[in-house]
Amino acid sequence: MSAGNKQILDEARELQVSPLVMKNSMDEMSIGAEKINGTGAALTEIAGKMKNSIEQIGSQINQFRG
């Protein structure tokens, strides 16, 4: 096999592998985005619970002051 043919075959193999590497990278990015969204949702829920707790504490303090 000539050096030119070998180079062409090597490059063809790389072209076959590249889409798989790109797909794997995109899958990893998608998983990362899902984790970020999940974390954001959890933080929103926690913030809501904290707000309610603070409002309840404020209401109880106001009852003692009243």
Side-chain angles (χ1 to χ4, degrees), residues 1-27:
M1 176 183 309
S2 72
N5 287 343
K6 183 180 180 321
Q7 182 179 357
I8 290 171
L9 287 174
D10 289 344
E11 289 177 8
R13 283 189 195 105
E14 286 182 31
L15 289 174
Q16 288 175 335
V17 171
S18 292
L20 295 175
V21 171
M22 288 174 48
K23 182 187 178 308
N24 288 340
S25 295
M26 291 180 72
D27 288 345

Side-chain angles (χ1 to χ4, degrees), residues 34-64:
E34 288 176 19
K35 287 181 181 179
I36 289 169
N37 287 338
T39 301
L43 289 173
T44 298
E45 182 181 349
I46 291 167
K49 288 180 180 180
M50 287 177 62
K51 180 178 179 262
N52 290 338
S53 295
I54 291 169
E55 288 172 353
Q56 288 176 358
I57 291 167
S59 176
Q60 291 173 0
I61 291 171
N62 288 337
Q63 285 178 356
F64 285 113

